[in-house]
Amino acid sequence: MDKAGEREAHWGRHVDAWRASGATQKAYCDQHGLRSHSLSYWHLRLAADSGAREGGGRLTLVPAVRVPDTVASLPSVSLHSPQGWRLEFATLPPAGWLMELWGEHA
């Protein structure tokens, strides 16, 4: 196995162990002496590679629909996961926060 393959296998084992641990990425990294942004990067990279091969776990964008002003007071952003959780926001939260959330709960 080449060096890139070894690195991917190494991080793949950590990503699997982190998921199985039930801990946050930060807690797992602190416990194992890893940098949390590295684990997050590999988690997203391996998930993207897996999604491209399997056709699952990918983010789907749908057209936005303008609603009447009477409904505008309801949350304007709604996130739904295949695991069943749902988040609603009146305004879009920071992109970095969403990426971290997606990485921890994907």
Side-chain angles (χ1 to χ4, degrees):
M1 182 181 304
D2 65 353
K3 197 156 188 89
E6 290 175 16
R7 186 171 37 251
E8 184 171 328
H10 167 82
W11 282 104
R13 287 188 297 272
H14 274 296
V15 168
D16 290 343
W18 159 67
R19 285 181 181 152
S21 74
T24 65
Q25 287 184 355
K26 181 175 178 359
Y28 179 87
C29 289
D30 288 349
Q31 182 180 13
H32 294 277
L34 302 171
R35 295 187 332 209
S36 60
H37 65 82
S38 294
L39 181 64
S40 181
Y41 167 82
W42 280 99
H43 170 250
L44 293 173
R45 177 176 170 175
L46 295 170
D49 289 348
S50 172
R53 284 192 304 267
E54 298 170 11
R58 302 189 74 177
L59 181 63
T60 303
L61 301 176
V62 296
V65 178
R66 184 174 168 92
V67 296
D69 289 340
T70 57
V71 184
S73 64
L74 297 176
S76 62
V77 176
S78 181
L79 303 174
H80 306 260
S81 80
Q83 295 83 12
W85 55 262
R86 178 180 175 157
L87 298 173
E88 295 182 351
F89 303 91
T91 60
L92 188 61
W97 183 85
L98 287 172
M99 290 300 294
E100 185 175 337
L101 176 72
W102 190 260
E104 290 183 7
H105 297 285

